[in-house]
Amino acid sequence: MKFSKQLLNFYINSSIHVALSCFALIKITYLMLNTATDNSVAYFAFFGTIVGYNFVKFDALARANKNKMKSQLKAIATLSFISLIFVVFYYYKLQITTKIIAALLLILTILYTLPFFPNTKNARNWAGLKIYIVAICWVGVTVMLPILNSEISFQNSFCIIALQRFLLIFTLILIFEIIDLKTDDPHLKTVPQQIGVKNTKVLGFVLLIVFCGLGFFNSNFNFQFLELLLHFVIAIIIALFLFFANENRSKYYTSLWVESVPTFWLLIYLLLK
Protein backbone atom coordinates (compact mmCIF):
# COMPACT_ATOMS: atom_id res chain seq x y z
CA MET A 1 0.00 0.00 0.00
CA LYS A 2 2.82 2.38 0.93
CA PHE A 3 4.64 1.61 -2.33
CA SER A 4 1.46 2.21 -4.33
CA LYS A 5 1.02 5.62 -2.70
CA GLN A 6 4.67 6.49 -3.35
CA LEU A 7 4.26 5.47 -6.98
CA LEU A 8 1.09 7.56 -7.29
CA ASN A 9 2.82 10.57 -5.72
CA PHE A 10 5.76 10.21 -8.10
CA TYR A 11 3.36 9.94 -11.04
CA ILE A 12 1.73 13.21 -10.00
CA ASN A 13 4.80 15.11 -8.72
CA SER A 14 6.85 14.24 -11.80
CA SER A 15 4.16 15.87 -13.99
CA ILE A 16 3.45 12.70 -16.00
CA HIS A 17 -0.25 13.04 -15.20
CA VAL A 18 -0.55 16.64 -16.39
CA ALA A 19 1.56 15.75 -19.46
CA LEU A 20 -1.00 13.10 -20.38
CA SER A 21 -3.71 15.76 -20.16
CA CYS A 22 -1.75 17.97 -22.55
CA PHE A 23 -1.24 15.01 -24.90
CA ALA A 24 -4.98 14.25 -24.77
CA LEU A 25 -5.98 17.84 -25.60
CA ILE A 26 -3.72 17.82 -28.68
CA LYS A 27 -5.30 14.57 -29.84
CA ILE A 28 -8.73 16.12 -29.31
CA THR A 29 -7.73 19.12 -31.44
CA TYR A 30 -6.81 16.81 -34.31
CA LEU A 31 -10.05 14.87 -33.92
CA MET A 32 -12.14 18.05 -33.87
CA LEU A 33 -10.47 19.26 -37.05
CA ASN A 34 -10.79 15.79 -38.61
CA THR A 35 -7.15 15.78 -39.66
CA ALA A 36 -4.35 13.23 -39.29
CA THR A 37 -2.57 13.28 -35.93
CA ASP A 38 1.02 14.50 -36.03
CA ASN A 39 2.75 12.47 -33.35
CA SER A 40 5.76 14.80 -33.41
CA VAL A 41 3.68 17.61 -31.93
CA ALA A 42 1.90 15.31 -29.46
CA TYR A 43 5.12 13.77 -28.12
CA PHE A 44 6.94 17.12 -28.13
CA ALA A 45 4.14 18.55 -25.98
CA PHE A 46 4.03 15.50 -23.70
CA PHE A 47 7.73 15.53 -22.88
CA GLY A 48 7.84 19.33 -22.96
CA THR A 49 5.10 19.48 -20.33
CA ILE A 50 7.11 17.20 -18.05
CA VAL A 51 10.21 19.37 -18.45
CA GLY A 52 8.33 22.68 -18.22
CA TYR A 53 6.17 21.83 -15.21
CA ASN A 54 9.03 20.23 -13.31
CA PHE A 55 11.18 23.28 -14.02
CA VAL A 56 8.44 25.56 -12.69
CA LYS A 57 7.83 23.64 -9.47
CA PHE A 58 11.26 22.09 -8.85
CA ASP A 59 12.31 24.80 -6.39
CA ALA A 60 9.10 24.39 -4.38
CA LEU A 61 9.56 20.60 -4.33
CA ALA A 62 13.18 20.93 -3.29
CA ARG A 63 12.31 23.11 -0.31
CA ALA A 64 9.40 20.97 0.89
CA ASN A 65 10.19 17.87 3.00
CA LYS A 66 13.77 17.68 1.76
CA ASN A 67 14.59 14.45 3.56
CA LYS A 68 11.40 12.66 2.53
CA MET A 69 11.60 13.74 -1.09
CA LYS A 70 15.34 13.42 -1.62
CA SER A 71 15.15 10.17 -3.60
CA GLN A 72 11.98 11.28 -5.38
CA LEU A 73 13.58 14.55 -6.44
CA LYS A 74 16.49 12.65 -7.94
CA ALA A 75 14.05 10.45 -9.85
CA ILE A 76 12.12 13.52 -11.05
CA ALA A 77 15.34 15.21 -12.13
CA THR A 78 16.37 12.08 -14.04
CA LEU A 79 12.98 11.82 -15.72
CA SER A 80 13.12 15.52 -16.63
CA PHE A 81 16.57 15.13 -18.18
CA ILE A 82 15.44 12.13 -20.26
CA SER A 83 12.31 14.04 -21.28
CA LEU A 84 14.47 17.00 -22.33
CA ILE A 85 16.33 14.74 -24.75
CA PHE A 86 13.03 13.70 -26.31
CA VAL A 87 11.89 17.34 -26.44
CA VAL A 88 14.97 18.25 -28.48
CA PHE A 89 14.50 15.20 -30.71
CA TYR A 90 10.85 15.97 -31.53
CA TYR A 91 11.48 19.71 -31.75
CA TYR A 92 13.63 19.18 -34.83
CA LYS A 93 10.80 17.22 -36.44
CA LEU A 94 8.45 20.21 -36.28
CA GLN A 95 7.72 22.65 -39.08
CA ILE A 96 9.75 25.88 -38.95
CA THR A 97 6.74 28.03 -37.96
CA THR A 98 5.81 25.56 -35.26
CA LYS A 99 9.38 25.69 -33.95
CA ILE A 100 9.22 29.47 -33.64
CA ILE A 101 5.93 29.46 -31.72
CA ALA A 102 7.13 26.57 -29.54
CA ALA A 103 10.29 28.53 -28.72
CA LEU A 104 8.22 31.59 -27.78
CA LEU A 105 6.04 29.46 -25.48
CA LEU A 106 9.20 28.05 -23.91
CA ILE A 107 10.51 31.57 -23.27
CA LEU A 108 7.17 32.51 -21.69
CA THR A 109 7.43 29.46 -19.42
CA ILE A 110 10.95 30.45 -18.37
CA LEU A 111 9.92 34.03 -17.69
CA TYR A 112 6.94 32.69 -15.76
CA THR A 113 9.41 30.99 -13.42
CA LEU A 114 12.42 33.31 -13.38
CA PRO A 115 12.43 37.10 -12.83
CA PHE A 116 12.75 39.33 -15.87
CA PHE A 117 15.31 41.44 -14.05
CA PRO A 118 17.33 41.04 -10.83
CA ASN A 119 15.45 41.87 -7.62
CA THR A 120 12.07 41.63 -9.34
CA LYS A 121 9.28 39.07 -9.08
CA ASN A 122 8.75 36.45 -11.75
CA ALA A 123 5.62 36.47 -13.90
CA ARG A 124 4.18 33.69 -11.75
CA ASN A 125 3.91 36.16 -8.86
CA TRP A 126 2.45 39.05 -10.82
CA ALA A 127 -0.85 39.87 -9.16
CA GLY A 128 -3.82 38.44 -11.04
CA LEU A 129 -1.89 37.40 -14.16
CA LYS A 130 -0.97 33.80 -13.38
CA ILE A 131 -4.27 32.28 -14.54
CA TYR A 132 -4.13 34.09 -17.90
CA ILE A 133 -0.50 33.17 -18.60
CA VAL A 134 -1.13 29.48 -17.89
CA ALA A 135 -4.33 29.39 -19.97
CA ILE A 136 -2.65 31.12 -22.93
CA CYS A 137 0.29 28.70 -22.83
CA TRP A 138 -2.07 25.72 -22.85
CA VAL A 139 -4.03 27.14 -25.79
CA GLY A 140 -0.77 27.76 -27.64
CA VAL A 141 0.50 24.22 -27.10
CA THR A 142 -2.73 22.25 -27.51
CA VAL A 143 -4.38 24.25 -30.30
CA MET A 144 -1.92 26.50 -32.12
CA LEU A 145 1.01 24.06 -32.41
CA PRO A 146 -1.05 21.18 -33.89
CA ILE A 147 -2.71 23.48 -36.42
CA LEU A 148 0.55 25.16 -37.44
CA ASN A 149 2.38 21.88 -37.86
CA SER A 150 -0.44 20.42 -39.95
CA GLU A 151 -0.33 23.56 -42.10
CA ILE A 152 -4.07 24.02 -41.71
CA SER A 153 -5.34 27.49 -42.56
CA PHE A 154 -6.53 29.57 -39.63
CA GLN A 155 -10.26 29.63 -40.20
CA ASN A 156 -13.36 30.02 -38.08
CA SER A 157 -12.80 26.60 -36.51
CA PHE A 158 -9.43 27.67 -35.09
CA CYS A 159 -10.88 30.72 -33.36
CA ILE A 160 -13.73 28.69 -31.87
CA ILE A 161 -11.51 25.86 -30.67
CA ALA A 162 -8.91 28.28 -29.25
CA LEU A 163 -11.54 30.26 -27.33
CA GLN A 164 -13.22 27.11 -26.06
CA ARG A 165 -9.89 25.71 -24.94
CA PHE A 166 -9.05 28.95 -23.13
CA LEU A 167 -12.39 28.91 -21.28
CA LEU A 168 -11.94 25.24 -20.39
CA ILE A 169 -8.43 25.70 -18.99
CA PHE A 170 -9.40 28.92 -17.23
CA THR A 171 -12.28 27.16 -15.47
CA LEU A 172 -10.09 24.21 -14.46
CA ILE A 173 -7.54 26.63 -12.98
CA LEU A 174 -10.34 28.27 -10.97
CA ILE A 175 -10.83 24.92 -9.22
CA PHE A 176 -7.12 24.82 -8.37
CA GLU A 177 -7.26 28.38 -7.03
CA ILE A 178 -10.22 27.54 -4.78
CA ILE A 179 -8.42 24.49 -3.38
CA ASP A 180 -5.21 26.51 -2.84
CA LEU A 181 -6.96 29.48 -1.27
CA LYS A 182 -5.52 28.78 2.20
CA THR A 183 -1.94 28.44 1.02
CA ASP A 184 -1.72 31.01 -1.78
CA ASP A 185 0.06 34.27 -1.04
CA PRO A 186 -2.61 37.02 -0.68
CA HIS A 187 -0.51 39.23 -2.97
CA LEU A 188 -1.14 36.84 -5.87
CA LYS A 189 -4.68 38.19 -6.12
CA THR A 190 -6.13 34.97 -7.49
CA VAL A 191 -9.75 35.04 -8.61
CA PRO A 192 -11.14 33.52 -5.35
CA GLN A 193 -9.05 35.99 -3.32
CA GLN A 194 -10.56 38.91 -5.22
CA ILE A 195 -14.21 37.92 -5.63
CA GLY A 196 -14.69 35.07 -3.15
CA VAL A 197 -15.29 31.36 -3.59
CA LYS A 198 -19.04 31.63 -4.31
CA ASN A 199 -18.61 34.22 -7.06
CA THR A 200 -15.66 32.27 -8.49
CA LYS A 201 -17.90 29.24 -8.87
CA VAL A 202 -20.60 31.35 -10.52
CA LEU A 203 -17.99 32.72 -12.92
CA GLY A 204 -16.85 29.18 -13.71
CA PHE A 205 -20.41 28.03 -14.42
CA VAL A 206 -20.96 30.98 -16.76
CA LEU A 207 -17.72 30.24 -18.62
CA LEU A 208 -18.78 26.60 -19.05
CA ILE A 209 -22.11 27.72 -20.54
CA VAL A 210 -20.23 29.93 -23.00
CA PHE A 211 -17.88 27.00 -23.72
CA CYS A 212 -20.84 24.83 -24.73
CA GLY A 213 -22.59 27.62 -26.62
CA LEU A 214 -19.57 28.27 -28.83
CA GLY A 215 -19.90 24.78 -30.27
CA PHE A 216 -23.06 25.84 -32.12
CA PHE A 217 -21.10 28.46 -34.06
CA ASN A 218 -18.53 26.09 -35.51
CA SER A 219 -19.93 24.73 -38.74
CA ASN A 220 -16.65 23.08 -39.73
CA PHE A 221 -16.93 20.18 -37.30
CA ASN A 222 -17.70 16.70 -38.57
CA PHE A 223 -20.14 14.76 -36.42
CA GLN A 224 -21.29 18.04 -34.96
CA PHE A 225 -23.85 16.37 -32.70
CA LEU A 226 -21.09 14.25 -31.16
CA GLU A 227 -18.95 17.34 -30.62
CA LEU A 228 -21.76 19.18 -28.91
CA LEU A 229 -22.69 16.17 -26.79
CA LEU A 230 -19.12 15.76 -25.60
CA HIS A 231 -18.86 19.46 -24.80
CA PHE A 232 -21.95 19.20 -22.58
CA VAL A 233 -20.69 16.02 -20.88
CA ILE A 234 -17.28 17.54 -20.12
CA ALA A 235 -18.85 20.81 -19.00
CA ILE A 236 -21.10 18.93 -16.55
CA ILE A 237 -18.14 16.97 -15.15
CA ILE A 238 -16.10 20.14 -14.65
CA ALA A 239 -19.13 21.92 -13.16
CA LEU A 240 -19.46 19.14 -10.57
CA PHE A 241 -15.77 19.39 -9.67
CA LEU A 242 -16.19 23.16 -9.37
CA PHE A 243 -19.36 22.89 -7.28
CA PHE A 244 -17.77 20.57 -4.72
CA ALA A 245 -14.41 22.39 -4.62
CA ASN A 246 -13.36 23.90 -1.30
CA GLU A 247 -10.18 24.72 0.61
CA ASN A 248 -10.33 21.50 2.64
CA ARG A 249 -10.19 19.10 -0.29
CA SER A 250 -7.27 16.68 -0.61
CA LYS A 251 -4.46 17.55 -3.00
CA TYR A 252 -5.55 14.57 -5.09
CA TYR A 253 -8.85 16.30 -5.82
CA THR A 254 -7.13 18.60 -8.30
CA SER A 255 -3.74 17.04 -9.01
CA LEU A 256 -5.27 13.64 -9.84
CA TRP A 257 -9.00 13.90 -10.55
CA VAL A 258 -9.45 17.39 -12.01
CA GLU A 259 -6.37 16.98 -14.19
CA SER A 260 -7.85 13.72 -15.50
CA VAL A 261 -10.67 15.56 -17.30
CA PRO A 262 -8.84 16.01 -20.66
CA THR A 263 -7.75 12.37 -20.70
CA PHE A 264 -11.28 11.26 -19.85
CA TRP A 265 -12.60 13.53 -22.62
CA LEU A 266 -10.31 11.89 -25.17
CA LEU A 267 -11.26 8.38 -24.07
CA ILE A 268 -14.99 9.14 -24.42
CA TYR A 269 -14.36 10.76 -27.80
CA LEU A 270 -12.51 7.70 -29.11
CA LEU A 271 -15.14 5.30 -27.77
CA LEU A 272 -18.06 7.19 -29.31
CA LYS A 273 -16.36 7.92 -32.61
Side-chain angles (χ1 to χ4, degrees):
M1 185 69 180
K2 184 179 179 181
F3 175 75
S4 299
K5 187 174 182 180
Q6 288 176 338
L7 192 62
L8 177 62
N9 287 334
F10 174 76
Y11 170 71
I12 294 172
N13 291 334
S14 63
S15 304
I16 296 174
H17 189 55
V18 69
L20 283 175
S21 295
C22 184
F23 183 88
L25 287 175
I26 289 176
K27 291 284 189 179
I28 289 169
T29 298
Y30 282 118
L31 288 169
M32 293 174 76
L33 293 170
N34 197 35
T35 187
T37 301
D38 189 331
N39 288 325
S40 296
V41 175
Y43 290 131
F44 169 78
F46 174 79
F47 291 110
T49 301
I50 293 176
V51 174
Y53 265 72
N54 287 346
F55 177 72
V56 168
K57 66 186 180 184
F58 186 80
D59 180 63
L61 285 172
R63 285 186 283 104
N65 299 320
K66 286 185 178 180
N67 293 330
K68 286 184 178 181
M69 297 193 67
K70 189 174 180 181
S71 58
Q72 188 176 122
L73 282 171
K74 288 182 178 178
I76 291 174
T78 302
L79 175 65
S80 300
F81 178 74
I82 295 171
S83 297
L84 181 60
I85 295 173
F86 282 104
V87 168
V88 174
F89 173 78
Y90 285 110
Y91 179 80
Y92 283 101
K93 287 180 171 289
L94 303 178
Q95 301 285 351
I96 183 63
T97 308
T98 315
K99 287 180 181 178
I100 294 172
I101 299 301
L104 291 175
L105 291 171
L106 174 61
I107 292 171
L108 183 59
T109 301
I110 293 173
L111 294 178
Y112 174 76
T113 309
L114 303 176
F116 285 93
F117 305 102
N119 302 318
T120 61
K121 292 182 178 181
N122 55 29
R124 190 181 188 185
N125 292 310
W126 288 358
L129 285 182
K130 174 184 174 181
I131 190 169
Y132 299 100
I133 294 173
V134 174
I136 289 171
C137 284
W138 273 78
V139 171
V141 172
T142 66
V143 179
M144 185 173 288
L145 293 188
I147 290 177
L148 284 173
N149 214 61
S150 298
E151 299 182 326
I152 301 171
S153 59
F154 286 78
Q155 299 174 350
N156 175 57
S157 56
F158 164 76
C159 298
I160 298 296
I161 294 173
L163 184 53
Q164 283 184 308
R165 194 64 50 83
F166 180 86
L167 295 175
L168 181 81
I169 299 300
F170 194 97
T171 307
L172 288 172
I173 298 173
L174 290 179
I175 301 174
F176 280 82
E177 291 191 344
I178 292 173
I179 302 297
D180 296 338
L181 191 56
K182 283 184 177 179
T183 57
D184 275 341
D185 188 328
H187 294 96
L188 284 176
K189 292 186 179 180
T190 62
V191 176
Q193 288 174 345
Q194 295 185 79
I195 66 175
V197 172
K198 182 178 179 180
N199 289 333
T200 299
K201 291 184 178 183
V202 172
L203 173 62
F205 296 144
V206 171
L207 294 180
L208 289 173
I209 292 172
V210 177
F211 165 80
C212 292
L214 285 171
F216 289 98
F217 294 93
N218 194 348
S219 60
N220 295 329
F221 288 162
N222 290 326
F223 304 101
Q224 190 175 13
F225 176 75
L226 173 60
E227 301 288 350
L228 292 172
L229 176 63
L230 285 174
H231 288 158
F232 279 105
V233 170
I234 293 303
I236 290 171
I237 292 172
I238 295 174
L240 289 173
F241 276 123
L242 182 61
F243 180 80
F244 290 107
N246 62 64
E247 306 96 301
N248 299 315
R249 289 289 180 186
S250 163
K251 65 176 183 178
Y252 297 113
Y253 187 82
T254 48
S255 61
L256 180 62
W257 299 114
V258 174
E259 285 187 353
S260 297
V261 170
T263 306
F264 182 65
W265 185 7
L266 175 62
L267 290 175
I268 296 177
Y269 203 129
L270 294 174
L271 286 173
L272 293 180
K273 192 168 183 178

